[in-house]
Structures are given as C-alpha cells and as structure tokens.
Amino acid sequence: MLINDILPENSVLSQEKILEDYRLVCESRQVSLLGRKDVMGGRGKFGIFGDGKEVAQAAMARAFHLGDFRSGYYRDQTVEAALGNLTWQQFFAQLYAHVGIDNDPHTGGRSMNGHYATRWLDEAGQWRDQTKLYNAVCDISPTAGQIPRSLGLAYASKLYRHNDALHQYTTFSDRGREIVFATIGDASTSQGMFWETMNAAGVLQVPLLMSVWDDGYGISVPIKYQTTKSSISKALAGLQRTKNEAGIEIFTVAGWDYPALIDTYQRAAALCRDEQVPVLVHVQELTQPQGHSTSGSHERYKNKERLQWEAAHDCNLKFRDWILENGYATEEEVNAIEQEAKETARESRNKAWKAFRQEIEEEQQQVAELIEKAAREVPNGTPLRNLATELRKTYQPLRRDNVSIVRKALRELGTATTAGRQELQDWLGQELEKNAQRYGSHLYSESEESPLKVEAVPPVYEQDAPVLDGRDIIRACFDALFARDARVVAFGEDVGYIGDVNQGLAGLQEKYGASRITDTGIRETTIIGQGIGLAMRGLRPIVEIQYFDYIFYALATLTDDLATLRYRTAGGQKAPLIVRTRGHRLEGIWHSGSQLGAMLGSLRGMHILVPRNFTQAAGFYNTLIQGDDPALVIEPLNGYRLKERLPANIAEMCLPLGEPEVLRPGTDLTIVTYGSMCRIVMEAAAQLEQMGIEVEVIDVQTLLPFDSNHRIVESIKKTNRVLFADEDVPGGASAYMMQQVIEGQNAYRWLDSAPQTLAAKEHRPAYGSDGDYFSKPNIEDIFEAAYAIMHEADPRRFPFLY
C-alpha cells in the first residue's frame, strides 16, 4: 500500500484527486442503493448495478485517455460517471425507461439500466471526432457478448499505428495510441468468447486491457465451479508472455486496495499503449453488496462467513479507512462527502423521476379531457366518462395506458361523426407515429450514406469483354476496392496467403500487404468481433466466414451486437461491417448451407444479400462499401468456376438493394427464387416452355431488404399464380418470401391458384450428387410443382402426368 505524506503535483494520486474519487464512489454506491429501492417499489422493471466495483473502476478511469475505448458490461456505471459520459440523472432516466436521447443519450430509453454508449454519430448520422471522446461501445446483456468486438477495437489501433496510409484519418486515431478497456465479470470468463478473444489478442499483439471483476460468484454459483484453479489469472498463465515469446501480460490486484489499483492500471495502460501488448488485470476480492440484481437476494446462497467477509472488505469502506489512515481527510470531511453524495443521488433521482412522470401525466390529462369532450357530444356518454375516470385513477400511468384507453374510446364511439371522435383519431395517429420513432427508429441507417440511397450503376460490357471464372470477376472487384480506399481491409481463415479457399482474393495480399489482407485462426466469433471493432473505428472491413454453415459459431455476436447496434443506441453508433461467406448447392451436411430463415429471424438490422453470380456480388459489394449499414453477403458456392463476362466498369457498377430482377418474362406462372437456385429454376422454366407453360422467373437478389418497390406483385397481377422456391428448410426463407408478397404486397387479390412454396427437405443435405438431388429442390421438382399448379388451373390443357 502506498502511503505518501506529500504527493507530487503530477502524480495520479494527489489529495484532490483522491477525494474526487472518494466522492465519486460514494455517489455511485448511493445511486445503486436507490436504484434497487426504485425497482422493488415498482418504478423500474429490473435493476443491475455496479456496487462493489466502484473503487476499481475509479482507478481504471484514471488511466483512460481521450480517444480510448471501453467495451464493457452492465456494471460499469462508476467508470462512465468518472469519464463524464454519465450523469446520475441519466442513470435513473435509463432505469425508468425514459425514452429520448435528451433523457437517456446512451440508448434513448431502449435498453435496461447499466447500458452505456458514447454518441459517435451526429444528428445526420455522420462520424464525430472519436479522438476527442472517451469512447464507450454500447453495452449488451448477454454474458461475454461485449468481448469479441473489443479485439477489433484494439486491432484498429494496431492498423492505425503501422499503416502509414491510415495516418490521414485523424478523427479516428492518433496514430494508434488508443487502447481498449474491456470489462467482464469473473463468471463470464467461462464463456468461449472470452477465451477465444484472449488467445487472438495474444496472437495479434493488440492494445487490449482486459479487466476481470472477480467477486467470487456467478449469480449463485461459486468460482470453484466456474474456473480451473478458481482463478482466471492462473488459468490463463499459459498465455503469459516471456522474454522470448509474445503473449499477454497478467496483473492481479485486490479490488479494495485503491493505491494498488491506481498503480496497477497506470502500469497496465502504459504497457498496452506504448508497446501494444494485451493485458489482463484480474481484480480480486471484490464484493457485491446488493447481490447479482433485483431479481433475488444473495443471502440465499452466501453463508454467514462470506457475508461477514464481504462487509469487512467492502471497497468503499476500505477506501475510506485508507484516506483516514493517511491523513488525506478528517473524519468530519469524509462524513461530509458521504452526506453530500447521498443528497446528490437523491436529487438526481428526484429530477429524473419528475421529468419522466411529467411528460406522461401531461399526456394523461390531455387524453382524459379529449375523451370527456367526446362524451359530451354523444347521446350516451357514460361509458366514455367511465373510461376517462379509469384513466385519471391509473397510478403512475405509462404511455401504453393512454394509447389503450383512446383505442377503447374510439371503439365505444363507433361510427359517430363528431368533432371529439376526430380529435381522438388525430391524437392516436400522431401518438402512434411518435412512438414508432421513440421505439422503432434507426434499425437501419437513416443518413445520406444509407446503402439504399447509393445510385445504381448497371454493368457495362465491351464487345470483346473477356469471359472469366466467377472467382476472377470478384477478384477484380476486390482489387479495385483495395486500390481505391486504404480503409478497406479483409481477413478470415485462408484469406491472406492463398487468397481464400475459392481464390476470390488470390494475389491481393502480395499486392496490398498482409496488414490489409490477413489470415486468421479458425475462430469465427472473433473474426466477426474483429470486424465489428474495426468498423466502429472508421475502417471498412470485409470479413470472411469460410462457409455459410459456420456462421452459427458467430451468430450470437452478429445478432446481439452488430445487428442491434444502431437500434439500441437510437442512432448513436454504427459499425458498417461487410460479412462475406458462401453457401448453397455444395454437397454435404456442413458445406451446403442455405439456412436463410435463421438469418432472417436473427439479423434484422443487417442487410442480407444472395447474389446468383459474381457480377451481381461485385455490384453489391460496391454498393455496400459506399453505405454505412452492416451486411451479410452469401456468394454462390458452385459459381466460382462458372463463366461470366467481365464488366468494363467492374470498379464502378453498383446494384441497388431491395430490387428483384426478372430473369425471364412469362405469362402463366411467377417463380420467385434467389442465389444458386436461379440456374435450376431457369432450366426448369425452359423445359416448361416446351409444355406450353410460360414462366416468369424473378431473382429477389436481396432478402433484407425485400422487393422494396413491389415488383413481384406486378408479376402476379399478370400471371395470377406464384411459386416461391429456395434451398432452405420448409417454412424458412420461402415462407418468408410468401409472407412478404402475399401479406405485405396484398398479392392474394390477384391469385387464381393457391400460392406454393418449394423448399429443401427438413434434414441437412446428404453427401454426394445423389444426396444433393434428393435433399434439395432439383429441376424436376421445380418442373412438377409448376406443372401441378397449371394442371389444377386448366386440367384439359395440362393433363395429369404421373
């Protein structure tokens, strides 16, 4: 323990700073205590707080520089307050779910408490200067879910330091001086995401400072059931760097020892910043005074001895004793700080609650008056007056109460043509529109850089355009992207030296360098996390998941973190990552992925593109790289050696998202499909033509967005029949397409036959050509499904075949 009679003026430990930190930790503890009371009293739905971690977080904040990043979890309130990113009024506003970025600038009231974010984007959705911010990536609740992206945030510093071409991007980095503070609870280090990240950080040698808050439990499960040797620092000792081997540096420190924490974080941050060595800081002997969350009491699973130990080792109490022992304040001065902290917490809480209630109660009053007015205009207004009374008596109403009562009032008014009814209708329409913005905006980009606003540039072919393999087409596209923009990087398994397993990047590492086109280990989760972090810091990564089937390794990171980022920050953060993979038609259980239904259900917030060939894929990559949304591109796996003409404008051509293409016109039946199925459907259509059936074949090209201009329903108006075909399981993407067209486009009005879907079998595809034929839709399946529809419509013209 450091005991200093006189501290140097430039020391991190000065009397003034010590007392600032003590005030901070006292305030943080008080808001946690009040937060729990508010949840138990019904003001909040759920509470999870950072009590017991205050002193360690205050020490960590002392090592934080402008431009640094925090990729943490839902107990980091103290460090965020220390950095000025969080006021205690905002803390309570988030607890109450007070919508709007004026109230909760972190998530706009969309996330439960403990989820903090710096607003990197201005109102127009443009990047702010990250080097002038204490950057916090918006927290997520899934345990260890915040860790994969921390690898990419740190990797960005390495690229900004070592790639001279990136030094011009001064609003994102000061030549790689930034470090990343990742935080995680000790129990969550049992997750594979954590281990994969620590291994990758050691391999890459990136400035990642990983703090593990160790309070001995994962909810009720003690550490002996969580971690080998009951210590994450001991368990990771094999990653410890040596004089001759790169690795990670490991520090251990007690979470109640303020000066030791200050010293540890200063040394750890300096090592990380100056040498770009990844560091683990294992903060031990922490406590959790209020237990895990408001969902239960920790007294249920902690014995008397443990509770007594926690009371004696409370970090705030230990900090207090240290201050008094070393004479940095008197008992009276410390007492005054503690009292002022209580008052500050109560005042912040009261202001937040008043602001939250005022908006809704004013709305409640307005609605009650409108209903009472409507009641005066009809012969029997008693039911309406009863509704108004019911609303006025509602204790602590929410917006849903106001909206619900207006809907009931309009139901009661029926077809009455009164001014009061019209006013209620107008109020409801306006309120639903406001709430759509409050709770549903920013799923995708609303800025001028949205990929949906990129101008389409069709391919141009010269008369003697070369005919190349698909792999050569996409390589030409990527070559142009790398030549044009130094921010574009690509990495993944086998991406670098051999240029990916299908040669789409062949020769480009040699041309542009290993820092831009890079091999990785077999670690899909952190490949995605690495890409997310780079995209968050202004770079334009294209990351590869080698086969579509492997996307499930990374699905949690894609769905919980990347796809929701813009939404859960109410437009405050973005990560325009392009995820490249390949799927369809290859034979075998694990290399013929077409599980689009799983992606459609999981990745709202990302665009999902399914090009049928590599000219289409190139056009989509050019569009996406100009946009600011994340996307998943699934290249056709059996198309790399199929021949295509090379467009003369391969570097400039852009395909619009959400616009299907009619591959073959027809009048009898519309078949809607995508990806590698297009070739199969086109062959079936040619055979159907010989039977007198003219099929219109439509390639949807993108599933998210899907047919934005309703091109498919226009086809159905002509043919009056539709078949949706794909390689997913029954009820997957084909069912999604049917829902979008029949329900979303009201196509049922023009149907003379029942809409049909044709999908693969429920099982995974069996190996071999026969396995493919009998597992996924084939030409004969398409032919017969289409013919059956026509047979039902006109059995004389199209008699039963067999």
Side-chain angles (χ1 to χ4, degrees):
M1 183 170 289
L2 303 176
I3 301 178
N4 302 292
D5 294 326
I6 301 175
L7 294 166
E9 291 183 3
N10 62 352
S11 172
V12 174
L13 282 181
S14 68
Q15 182 176 18
E16 180 183 5
K17 292 176 181 177
I18 290 167
L19 296 183
E20 281 179 3
D21 282 350
Y22 187 64
R23 183 180 300 276
L24 170 70
V25 303
C26 288
E27 290 176 357
S28 186
R29 178 62 60 84
Q30 289 303 314
V31 299
S32 292
L33 295 172
L34 290 176
R36 183 178 179 87
K37 288 182 179 178
D38 276 353
V39 173
M40 304 311 287
R43 287 185 172 187
K45 296 288 289 185
F46 179 77
I48 194 161
F49 308 105
D51 50 303
K53 283 72 177 175
E54 296 95 343
V55 174
Q57 291 186 20
M60 188 181 93
R62 289 291 180 194
F64 218 100
H65 290 186
L66 284 170
D68 287 346
F69 284 77
R70 182 191 66 85
S71 181
Y73 80 145
Y74 39 70
R75 299 192 191 276
D76 285 351
Q77 68 198 48
T78 307
V79 67
E80 285 300 289
L83 297 173
N85 289 341
L86 173 70
T87 69
W88 298 130
Q89 185 169 337
Q90 292 168 359
F91 172 92
F92 285 106
Q94 193 176 74
L95 183 68
Y96 305 145
H98 195 172
V99 294
I101 60 173
D102 291 339
N103 308 301
D104 170 19
H106 304 271
T107 74
R110 295 179 177 184
S111 285
M112 71 179 188
N113 81 297
H115 293 67
Y116 308 119
T118 309
R119 300 199 73 77
W120 298 328
L121 307 181
D122 61 22
E123 292 181 355
Q126 302 298 308
W127 291 108
R128 298 171 62 197
D129 188 341
Q130 290 183 338
T131 67
K132 296 180 180 178
L133 302 172
Y134 295 112
N135 297 285
V137 185
C138 191
D139 304 306
I140 60 176
S141 289
T143 53
Q146 74 276 19
I147 299 304
R149 67 178 180 227
S150 67
L151 179 71
L153 292 165
Y155 184 58
S157 288
K158 182 172 183 176
L159 294 184
Y160 278 120
R161 175 172 293 189
H162 296 291
N163 185 348
D164 292 345
L166 296 178
H167 291 173
Q168 62 183 300
Y169 299 104
T170 56
T171 59
F172 290 103
S173 178
D174 178 17
R175 300 198 176 197
R177 290 283 298 167
E178 304 79 24
I179 66 177
V180 178
F181 293 83
T183 66
I184 186 171
D186 181 69
S188 295
T189 64
S190 297
Q191 292 278 14
M193 292 178 178
F194 173 82
W195 289 84
E196 190 174 310
T197 298
M198 295 308 297
N199 177 61
V203 170
L204 294 172
Q205 289 295 284
V206 293
L208 173 63
L209 199 165
M210 180 73 66
S211 294
V212 177
W213 312 134
D214 185 355
D215 57 31
Y217 288 83
I219 306 185
S220 67
V221 180
I223 194 171
K224 66 180 181 180
Y225 296 123
Q226 303 277 3
T227 309
T228 299
K229 300 182 180 180
S230 295
S231 168
I232 193 60
S233 53
K234 291 180 181 179
L236 287 177
L239 301 183
Q240 172 73 54
R241 66 178 185 149
T242 67
K243 182 178 180 180
N244 300 315
E245 295 177 317
I248 70 172
E249 189 56 73
I250 299 176
F251 294 85
T252 59
V253 62
W256 47 263
D257 192 340
Y258 174 75
L261 285 160
I262 290 286
D263 178 63
T264 298
Y265 273 107
Q266 292 299 311
R267 290 189 291 125
L271 178 63
C272 226
R273 197 179 308 280
D274 297 336
E275 300 182 36
Q276 292 200 325
V277 171
V279 176
L280 174 77
V281 177
H282 184 191
V283 184
Q284 302 169 308
E285 299 186 18
L286 288 168
T287 67
Q288 210 164 66
Q290 298 189 112
H292 172 75
S293 69
T294 56
S295 61
S297 171
H298 61 150
E299 294 178 353
R300 292 181 301 161
Y301 51 85
K302 291 178 182 175
N303 59 35
K304 181 179 179 181
E305 290 73 23
R306 174 66 190 190
L307 292 170
Q308 289 175 343
W309 181 91
E310 290 195 6
H313 288 79
D314 186 298
C315 61
N316 287 15
L317 177 61
K318 286 285 193 178
F319 191 9
R320 184 186 201 276
D321 292 342
W322 180 81
I323 289 172
L324 294 174
E325 289 172 8
N326 287 275
Y328 295 127
T330 65
E331 184 84 34
E332 291 75 15
E333 290 169 332
V334 168
N335 289 341
I337 290 173
E338 293 166 355
Q339 184 58 38
E340 290 165 6
K342 291 180 180 179
E343 292 171 0
T344 297
R346 281 197 296 266
E347 182 180 357
S348 300
R349 173 209 200 192
N350 292 341
K351 285 182 178 179
W353 181 249
K354 181 179 180 181
F356 174 61
R357 294 307 324 152
Q358 184 174 348
E359 285 185 19
I360 299 177
E361 287 169 1
E362 287 175 355
E363 189 179 276
Q364 176 193 33
Q365 177 68 19
Q366 179 189 12
V367 167
E369 290 174 356
L370 286 174
I371 294 174
E372 288 167 348
K373 177 181 178 181
R376 294 192 292 269
E377 297 175 344
V378 294
N380 180 16
T382 299
L384 290 172
R385 284 190 288 272
N386 290 341
L387 288 174
T389 300
E390 177 187 339
L391 180 60
R392 291 187 185 278
K393 289 182 177 180
T394 302
Y395 179 66
Q396 295 182 0
L398 299 173
R399 283 194 168 88
R400 68 177 187 179
D401 297 304
N402 297 328
V403 169
S404 174
I405 215 79
V406 169
R407 286 174 158 174
K408 291 177 181 177
L410 287 170
R411 197 184 308 160
E412 190 66 40
L413 282 163
T415 58
T417 55
T418 64
R421 182 178 183 275
Q422 186 61 52
E423 288 183 11
L424 283 171
Q425 281 184 317
D426 292 344
W427 182 91
L428 180 61
Q430 293 168 8
E431 189 66 16
L432 291 176
E433 184 176 342
K434 289 178 184 177
N435 286 324
Q437 284 296 311
R438 287 166 176 153
Y439 300 104
S441 60
H442 298 292
L443 180 59
Y444 294 95
S445 174
E446 298 175 13
S447 78
E448 289 304 309
E449 294 182 347
S450 166
L452 301 182
K453 296 180 181 179
V454 174
E455 184 176 352
V457 179
V460 174
Y461 295 96
E462 296 178 350
Q463 187 172 0
D464 58 348
V467 178
L468 305 175
D469 287 346
R471 60 182 179 173
D472 297 317
I473 301 290
I474 200 64
R475 181 167 61 243
C477 169
F478 287 145
D479 192 0
L481 288 180
F482 280 98
R484 185 167 61 239
D485 192 342
R487 299 172 303 160
V488 177
V489 297
F491 51 87
E493 300 161 18
D494 300 301
V495 162
Y497 185 72
I498 68 169
D500 86 42
V501 292
N502 293 99
Q503 303 291 283
L505 290 159
L508 298 188
Q509 185 186 72
E510 183 178 0
K511 184 174 183 178
Y512 294 104
S515 67
R516 296 191 63 194
I517 300 160
T518 311
D519 284 315
T520 71
I522 301 177
R523 50 175 181 82
E524 284 79 10
T525 296
T526 49
I527 288 172
I528 295 298
Q530 197 171 331
I532 293 172
L534 292 186
M536 287 175 169
R537 296 193 60 187
L539 297 174
R540 297 311 311 265
I542 301 172
V543 306
E544 180 173 308
I545 300 298
Q546 197 165 86
Y547 295 105
F548 186 33
D549 302 76
Y550 302 165
I551 203 82
F552 290 98
Y553 285 99
L555 186 57
T557 299
L558 287 168
T559 185
D560 292 332
D561 199 1
L562 180 59
T564 65
L565 179 66
R566 191 187 294 269
Y567 170 78
R568 72 178 190 271
T569 59
Q573 295 185 349
K574 64 182 177 182
L577 170 64
I578 299 174
V579 181
R580 177 191 182 214
T581 189
R582 50 190 65 87
H584 316 311
R585 304 314 297 197
L586 186 68
E587 300 160 6
I589 292 174
W590 289 290
H591 290 80
S592 53
S594 299
Q595 306 92 341
L596 268 301
M599 300 303 109
L600 292 167
S602 305
L603 300 184
R604 301 302 169 98
M606 295 179 66
H607 298 296
I608 298 180
L609 285 59
V610 282
R612 67 181 181 273
N613 60 36
F614 287 92
T615 303
Q616 307 301 107
F620 286 138
Y621 283 120
N622 288 339
T623 297
L624 292 172
I625 211 72
Q626 294 183 53
D628 65 348
D629 270 334
L632 172 65
V633 182
I634 304 165
E635 298 173 5
L637 185 51
N638 60 354
Y640 289 99
R641 295 183 182 274
L642 297 180
K643 301 299 182 180
E644 301 180 37
R645 297 173 69 204
L646 176 67
N649 63 339
I650 189 71
E652 296 82 24
M653 60 172 287
C654 292
L655 289 187
L657 308 189
E659 293 190 15
E661 181 178 353
V662 177
L663 303 183
R664 176 190 176 111
T667 55
D668 295 322
L669 170 68
T670 300
I671 300 183
V672 181
T673 191
Y674 59 84
S676 294
M677 279 289 290
C678 290
R679 287 189 291 275
I680 295 171
V681 171
M682 288 291 285
E683 177 60 32
Q687 296 181 14
L688 286 162
E689 183 181 23
Q690 298 173 11
M691 303 291 288
I693 299 172
E694 294 296 332
V695 172
E696 181 145 299
V697 180
I698 297 180
D699 174 13
V700 301
Q701 303 198 96
T702 70
L703 290 167
L704 289 176
F706 181 87
D707 192 8
S708 302
N709 298 322
H710 291 190
R711 177 64 186 82
I712 297 171
V713 74
E714 294 304 314
S715 174
I716 293 172
K717 287 179 183 179
K718 177 175 57 175
T719 66
N720 308 117
R721 300 171 188 88
V722 64
L723 172 66
F724 300 92
D726 77 340
E727 300 178 45
D728 200 356
V729 297
S734 58
Y736 161 81
M737 293 191 294
M738 178 186 282
Q739 181 269 332
Q740 291 285 301
V741 174
I742 303 304
E743 179 183 328
Q745 300 180 15
N746 292 322
Y748 66 90
R749 298 179 180 179
W750 290 277
L751 287 175
D752 291 338
S753 299
Q756 301 284 328
T757 65
L758 179 62
K761 299 297 189 289
E762 294 183 356
H763 55 76
R764 293 288 188 103
Y767 175 63
S769 297
D770 281 345
D772 173 76
Y773 184 87
F774 293 106
S775 298
K776 289 192 171 186
N778 53 58
I779 294 170
E780 288 73 34
D781 291 335
I782 298 291
F783 180 98
E784 291 166 7
Y787 189 91
I789 293 173
M790 299 306 300
H791 165 72
E792 188 223 16
D794 191 346
R796 291 185 177 180
R797 184 179 174 192
F798 304 106
F800 181 74
L801 290 178
Y802 54 84

